[in-house]
């Protein structure tokens, strides 16, 4: 068993002029502990997005009940604490696949300018199976920070249809627990990590013990449901279309646009002129993206 060095772990915040603030993430407990470069100051982003009403209104995702108030409160909390970067508490989006859960995460990431890293719940199960072996497994939020060189990325975790096993569920809740995140010890890596500025968005098809535990530790669960009103569905698809084109330089995501095209074909091609027009627009975007225009 690895024992941390004696003494408290201090989190330092560095601010130089108008440059983004940064903090140290990794505090090794052994001489050979891999820090992945996170023992150096790592940037904190998204300060320009902390105006509560502006961010919550700009999302355009009113079909997700409670999302606007959730984002507004997150911005207010950051500002009240004097933190000039974006972060929100754990958010769980519960509902069937295909109704905008991934769009919510991508939209928030784009509007705030914070990097988004996607992961699957199966990775947590795999990590749990390797726990106690000699193989070192890098935790999802640590890997996200190391890959983006950002201390406050958004981690989009898709739990899929298979529930987390008990060990993986406990590990996830520990990484989200506000009491633990500032000084989270990974015994396998021999490091204490500061996970406190990572924003989690968890996708789940239904409620579970894991989700209940996340809520008990300060998280928020919001249900995403399908609306029977065709006009509302078209509005959602229009937002999804915008999200697909929110890449750098206005480049669209062909895979995402392709998914939108499929949904339009299934739901809105029959006797809905607006649906056909939106379909044609999505199809044209996909073709342009494929040809590199």
């Amino acid at each position: 068993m690895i024992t941390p060095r004696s003494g408290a772990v201090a989190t330092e915040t560095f601010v130089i002029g108008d440059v983004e603030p940064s903090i140290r993430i990794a505090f090794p407990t052994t001489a050979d502990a891999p820090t992945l470069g996170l023992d150096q100051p790592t940037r904190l982003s998204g300060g320009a997005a902390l105006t509560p009403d502006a961010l919550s209104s700009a999302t355009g995702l009113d079909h997700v009940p409670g999302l606007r108030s959730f984002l507004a409160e997150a911005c207010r909390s950051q500002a009240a604490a004097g933190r000039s970067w974006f972060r929100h508490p754990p958010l769980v989006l519960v509902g069937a696949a295909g109704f905008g859960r991934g769009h919510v995460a991508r939209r928030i990431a784009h509007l705030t300018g914070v990097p988004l890293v996607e992961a699957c719940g199966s990775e947590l199960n795999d990590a749990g199976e390797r726990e106690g072996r000699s193989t070192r497994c890098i935790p999802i939020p640590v890997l996200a920070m190391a890959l983006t060189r950002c201390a406050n990325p958004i981690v989009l975790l898709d739990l899929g249809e298979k529930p987390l096993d008990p060990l993986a569920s406990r590990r996830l809740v520990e990484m989200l627990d506000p009491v633990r995140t500032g000084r989270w010890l990974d015994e396998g890596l021999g490091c204490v990590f500061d996970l406190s500025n990572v924003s989690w968005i968890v996708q789940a098809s239904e409620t579970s013990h894991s989700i209940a535990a996340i809520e008990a530790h300060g998280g928020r669960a919001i249900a995403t449901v399908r609306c029977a009103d065709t006009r509302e569905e078209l509005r959602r698809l229009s937002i999804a279309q915008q999200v697909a084109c929110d890449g750098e330089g206005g480049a669209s995501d062909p895979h995402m646009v392709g998914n939108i095209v499929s949904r339009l074909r299934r739901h809105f091609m029959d006797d809905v002129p607006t649906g056909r027009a939106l379909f044609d627009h999505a199809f044209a975007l996909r073709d342009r993206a494929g040809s590199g225009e």
Side-chain angles (χ1 to χ4, degrees), residues 125 164-174 209-211 213:
N125 285 333
L164 295 178
D165 61 45
L167 185 58
S169 178
R170 175 176 60 80
R171 188 175 177 85
L172 173 61
V173 172
E174 286 178 354
H209 292 299
S210 300
I211 294 173

Side-chain angles (χ1 to χ4, degrees), residues 82-100:
R83 304 185 187 111
S84 57
W85 57 90
F86 178 76
R87 180 198 172 274
H88 64 68
L91 173 63
V92 183
L93 299 174
V94 183
F99 293 104

Side-chain angles (χ1 to χ4, degrees), residues 18-262:
D18 294 329
V19 179
E20 290 178 313
S22 60
I23 61 171
R24 182 181 174 186
I25 299 298
F27 301 84
T29 63
T30 61
D32 63 343
T35 61
L36 306 177
L38 298 175
D39 55 337
Q40 301 299 316
T42 306
R43 66 186 173 92
L44 292 154
S45 301
L50 292 183
T51 304
D53 295 335
L55 176 61
S56 59
S57 299
T59 60
L61 297 165
D62 296 339
H63 62 278
V64 184
L67 180 63
R68 288 184 62 166
S69 60
F70 173 84
L71 291 174
E73 182 56 35
C75 291
R76 292 191 191 98
S77 296
Q78 286 293 94
R83 304 185 187 111
S84 57
W85 57 90
F86 178 76
R87 180 198 172 274
H88 64 68
L91 173 63
V92 183
L93 299 174
V94 183
F99 293 104
R101 295 174 304 167
H103 294 327
V104 170
R106 296 182 186 98
R107 184 69 169 158
I108 294 172
H110 173 72
L111 291 172
T112 59
V114 173
L116 173 72
V117 176
E118 301 185 31
C120 297
S122 58
E123 296 176 37
L124 285 171
N125 285 333
D126 293 343
E129 292 174 2
R130 291 195 294 270
E131 191 169 291
R133 303 180 188 176
S134 58
T135 304
R136 285 175 168 176
C137 180
I138 301 175
I140 290 172
V142 174
L143 184 59
M145 289 187 284
L147 289 174
T148 62
R149 310 311 302 170
C150 178
N152 62 322
I154 295 175
V155 173
L156 174 59
L157 180 66
D158 187 352
L159 296 185
E161 301 299 326
K162 182 181 179 181
L164 295 178
D165 61 45
L167 185 58
S169 178
R170 175 176 60 80
R171 188 175 177 85
L172 173 61
V173 172
E174 286 178 354
M175 287 190 290
L176 298 176
D177 184 352
V179 175
R180 297 171 178 261
T181 53
R183 296 173 176 82
W184 190 76
L185 171 64
D186 187 292
E187 296 183 357
L189 295 180
C191 256
V192 174
F193 294 100
D194 183 353
L195 310 180
S196 61
N197 293 293
V198 175
S199 296
W200 289 80
I201 298 180
V202 180
Q203 296 182 188
S205 57
E206 57 186 17
T207 57
S208 64
H209 292 299
S210 300
I211 294 173
I214 292 173
E215 287 188 280
H217 288 82
R220 172 81 178 276
I222 295 178
T224 58
V225 296
R226 181 176 176 181
C227 179
D229 190 303
T230 301
R231 291 172 299 178
E232 173 60 16
E233 286 282 15
L234 288 172
R235 192 188 71 80
R236 295 189 194 189
L237 284 167
S238 179
I239 291 292
Q241 185 78 52
Q242 184 176 353
V243 172
C245 298
D246 272 348
E248 293 184 10
S252 60
D253 180 341
H255 176 70
M256 191 184 297
V257 174
N259 290 340
I260 297 170
V261 169
S262 298

Side-chain angles (χ1 to χ4, degrees), residues 268-274 276:
F268 303 116
M269 285 299 289
D270 298 332
D271 301 321
V272 183
T274 307
R276 286 196 293 274

